[in-house]
Amino acid sequence: MKQIEISHLSFSYGQHGSKIILQDIDFQGSNNESIGLIGANGVGKSTLLKLMVGLELGYEGELKIEGTPVKKETLAEIRAKTGYVFQDSESQLFMPTVYEDVAFAPRNYGMKPEEVEKRTMKALTDTHIENLKDKHIYRLSGGEKKLVSIATILSMDPSIILLDEPSVALDPKNRRNLIHVLNELNGLKIIASHDLDFIYDTCERTILLGDGKIIKDGDTKEILTNQEMLESCGLELPLSLIRR
Amino acid sequence: MGKIEEAVHEIHHIDATAGEDKWLNQIHPLPKLLVTLGYIFIVVSFHKYNLSGLLSMCIYPMIIMILGDVSLKKAVKRMKYIILLLCFVGIANPFLDHKVLFYIGNIGVSGGIVSMVTVMLKGVLSVTASYLLIISTNIEKICYALSILHLPKAVVTVVMLIYRYSIVLLKEVQRINTAYSMRAPKQKGIHHRAWGSLVGQLLLRSMDRGQIVYESMTLRGYAGDFHMYGMKKITKEDVLYGAAWGIVFVFLRAVPVFELLGHLK
């Protein structure tokens, strides 16, 4: 079964849908795939991710997560399967300590204390931040906050992980560490970013968005080396590919 | 560190202190909350001229500060603005109440002066008691105690969210203030002409960030209920703590200790 099925999806804001954000989006995602979602600013990458977790509703077309259509009535079910990491990790963290924040989801899903402990520790281990367990959120660096925000969703054991601009404001070391952590994670990952080098290092498949439509869906290397196509969508070749 | 940044830092520091492994922090939040509420109720109930009786109530914050290893200096520093504000409460009393109650040497002390001091002291003691509760009990535990008291779920949630929103709001104030001061280096404070737009910005931006926090909570299973985990059950020691302070407060309220001690001379 496909974990994400999107067909003829359109979405618009404003009165009577005056501002069209996404048009006729079609794609599917399977387990353990890592999909990069690229495009210039305002092209609808974040909106598409938000639609997948039901933070935005009122779309046209079909959007299914593990066979369940995303709608108001199914949000709890959808969100238990899908983890979403916001671009602004700082705002995403709201509990006093790292442990408390990572344990928030399993507790809210009514798990037993032993299960909460197990999942929380696994999420911290998977992101290599066990040492930050008792640290207060406000004392974390930007890179640590990003890893904690990933751990907060991993504790739900989601089968789909959505990341919005995960590499923003990370220094090279933290960026490299994040790439390493993401590459180790199982499940379907969809990463929205205009950091094309980051996409190159983490995704084998890429979807290029332009004017709210899918311009190209295919092999990452093939898309990221197509200078003409990237430039027509307001993007540039990744720096790492220029050097080669 | 700027003043706003310092305020945010202080809130986080208080949070961290409340999470420390101290005996005062280990006491169940319910007796601590009830003791604080009872203390404030009794302090407020003293007659406006009963200064000596009110002074005897200082024993609670003194003992808690000593046993709980709470720094008086830090407490005064953190509460200085509230204390200053409280000092203005009742400042008009000396002008309204001229009745002389007693003499110190040849100087008559009017009821207005006594009642002014009493009102100030009531405020300071109440705020100090609240501070001692906050410094030893984090917001989750206070909300847990409120939920045990069967306060409506909506009220408990609002208390918790207001606390979180206040931090978001302060951080946004800090960002706006920093951005403003970077472009107006010679100005002290924010020019009144910019107040309107900055307040509007602050509201919109803090609402945006509040929205992200809320979305992040709902994405992780939050459906209107804060689950209170890891909260210990109430023990005999906790009950004893609450009962002992209850008895002390009632005793101090009923018996004019300082006056009796004065008569012993």
Side-chain angles (χ1 to χ4, degrees):
Chain A
M1 186 176 62
K2 298 285 180 192
Q3 281 175 298
I4 283 189
E5 289 169 273
I6 297 178
S7 76
H8 304 297
L9 181 127
S10 297
F11 182 75
S12 48
Y13 285 123
Q15 267 190 333
H16 313 296
S18 54
K19 187 167 168 35
I20 297 163
I21 308 292
L22 295 166
Q23 280 183 76
D24 206 24
I25 301 290
D26 261 297
F27 79 90
Q28 297 180 332
S30 314
N31 195 22
N32 287 332
E33 253 191 309
S34 192
I35 305 171
L37 207 55
I38 61 169
N41 285 336
V43 84
K45 302 188 294 291
S46 298
T47 307
L48 186 52
L49 292 188
K50 286 186 172 182
L51 282 166
M52 291 181 204
V53 281
L55 284 177
E56 297 284 0
L57 291 166
Y59 58 87
E60 283 169 34
E62 215 170 27
L63 170 52
K64 286 182 184 172
I65 302 288
E66 292 189 347
T68 310
V70 179
K71 51 185 181 179
K72 207 174 174 184
E73 299 78 43
T74 58
L75 284 185
E77 195 185 334
I78 297 291
R79 287 170 179 178
K81 294 171 187 167
T82 319
Y84 177 54
V85 180
F86 289 73
Q87 185 176 335
D88 180 4
S89 306
E90 192 177 352
S91 302
Q92 188 172 355
L93 308 172
F94 47 82
M95 295 300 277
T97 64
V98 169
Y99 184 91
E100 289 296 311
D101 220 307
V102 177
F104 182 85
R107 283 173 178 171
N108 265 296
Y109 282 107
M111 289 169 197
K112 288 181 178 166
E114 311 85 66
E115 182 65 14
V116 171
E117 170 77 13
K118 199 177 119 192
R119 280 182 178 235
T120 306
M121 288 316 297
K122 186 175 183 310
L124 292 171
T125 313
D126 287 350
T127 43
H128 311 294
I129 50 168
E130 311 94 299
N131 55 325
L132 303 178
K133 185 174 154 257
D134 298 315
K135 210 165 172 182
H136 279 260
I137 295 294
Y138 73 98
R139 294 212 166 134
L140 300 174
S141 69
E144 288 172 338
K145 276 180 187 158
K146 187 59 78 181
L147 290 175
V148 173
S149 63
I150 293 173
T152 62
I153 60 143
L154 289 185
S155 62
M156 301 194 297
D157 197 17
S159 47
I160 301 163
I161 300 167
L162 310 173
L163 299 110
D164 194 357
E165 300 287 0
S167 61
V168 163
L170 292 184
D171 63 26
K173 191 183 166 199
N174 278 309
R175 192 174 171 282
R176 206 166 47 244
N177 186 28
L178 181 64
I179 290 169
H180 176 65
V181 168
L182 291 179
N183 286 339
E184 277 182 346
L185 294 179
N186 294 319
L188 169 63
K189 285 166 277 176
I190 300 182
I191 304 170
S193 179
H194 26 52
D195 179 350
L196 301 189
D197 291 283
F198 189 84
I199 294 293
Y200 185 75
D201 288 332
T202 51
C203 305
E204 68 271 9
R205 176 181 162 196
T206 292
I207 295 171
L208 172 63
L209 290 177
D211 289 332
K213 295 176 195 156
I214 293 181
I215 305 295
K216 180 85 178 165
D217 179 353
D219 178 66
T220 296
K221 196 170 179 186
E222 191 188 314
I223 291 175
L224 297 189
T225 47
N226 190 333
Q227 186 169 4
E228 196 184 330
M229 187 167 62
L230 289 176
E231 285 178 358
S232 70
C233 293
L235 297 170
E236 290 176 354
L237 280 176
L239 287 171
S240 54
L241 293 182
I242 292 173
R243 282 192 213 110
R244 277 167 205 182
Chain B
M1 199 188 289
K3 280 185 177 170
I4 302 160
E5 201 180 344
E6 209 176 308
V8 176
H9 183 78
E10 278 298 316
I11 292 176
H12 288 310
H13 190 73
I14 288 172
D15 245 357
T17 312
E20 282 173 6
D21 193 20
K22 287 181 183 174
W23 79 267
L24 185 60
N25 300 8
Q26 297 305 319
I27 295 169
H28 194 278
L30 183 61
K32 276 196 281 189
L33 178 69
L34 291 177
V35 164
T36 307
L37 293 175
Y39 179 78
I40 293 171
F41 178 75
I42 289 187
V43 161
V44 172
S45 75
F46 274 90
H47 189 268
K48 62 179 179 177
Y49 295 150
N50 191 356
L51 186 56
S52 62
L54 196 57
L55 281 171
S56 66
M57 293 301 284
C58 293
I59 197 164
Y60 169 70
M62 279 163 63
I63 289 181
I64 293 294
M65 278 188 175
I66 293 165
L67 295 179
D69 197 20
V70 179
S71 161
L72 177 66
K73 199 175 152 189
K74 267 189 189 169
V76 173
K77 196 181 157 200
R78 282 173 180 154
M79 296 188 295
K80 62 188 173 199
Y81 295 116
I82 303 173
I83 292 172
L84 271 174
L85 189 72
L86 290 169
C87 288
F88 282 101
V89 181
I91 208 153
N93 288 16
F95 304 105
L96 303 172
D97 183 357
H98 300 285
K99 190 173 81 180
V100 175
L101 291 185
F102 56 88
Y103 287 90
I104 298 174
N106 291 329
I107 304 164
V109 179
S110 71
I113 290 178
V114 174
S115 65
M116 179 186 75
V117 176
T118 310
V119 167
M120 287 173 183
L121 194 58
K122 279 181 184 180
V124 171
L125 290 178
S126 302
V127 169
T128 308
S130 309
Y131 173 76
L132 290 173
L133 175 69
I134 292 164
I135 199 82
S136 63
T137 322
N138 61 33
I139 192 75
E140 284 80 18
K141 287 182 180 171
I142 292 175
C143 288
Y144 172 59
L146 291 174
S147 65
I148 295 175
L149 291 173
H150 294 289
L151 243 75
K153 201 170 75 180
V155 175
V156 178
T157 305
V158 165
V159 169
M160 185 97 88
L161 293 181
I162 283 177
Y163 175 77
R164 296 202 192 294
Y165 183 70
S166 65
I167 295 174
V168 168
L169 191 72
L170 270 175
K171 283 186 176 170
E172 278 311 318
V173 171
Q174 183 195 337
R175 284 181 194 197
I176 287 175
N177 189 45
T178 308
Y180 183 91
S181 58
M182 294 293 281
R183 284 184 281 158
K186 287 180 182 170
Q187 263 184 46
K188 202 178 177 187
I190 293 172
H191 195 276
H192 65 85
R193 269 187 237 154
W195 286 0
S197 60
L198 288 190
V199 169
Q201 280 288 326
L202 173 66
L203 191 66
L204 291 173
R205 286 167 62 165
S206 63
M207 277 167 67
D208 264 354
R209 287 197 63 196
Q211 179 71 17
I212 293 175
V213 172
Y214 179 72
E215 284 176 351
S216 170
M217 286 162 68
T218 54
L219 288 178
R220 289 195 265 155
Y222 174 76
D225 262 334
F226 272 100
H227 293 265
M228 310 290 183
Y229 277 80
M231 299 294 176
K232 67 166 203 161
K233 284 187 177 169
I234 199 156
T235 61
K236 280 180 191 169
E237 288 80 11
D238 298 323
V239 176
L240 193 68
Y241 173 86
W245 277 119
I247 292 166
V248 171
F249 296 159
V250 171
F251 175 77
L252 293 174
R253 181 67 183 88
V255 182
V257 182
F258 283 0
E259 280 180 32
L260 289 175
L261 287 173
H263 287 302
L264 287 176
K265 279 184 180 176

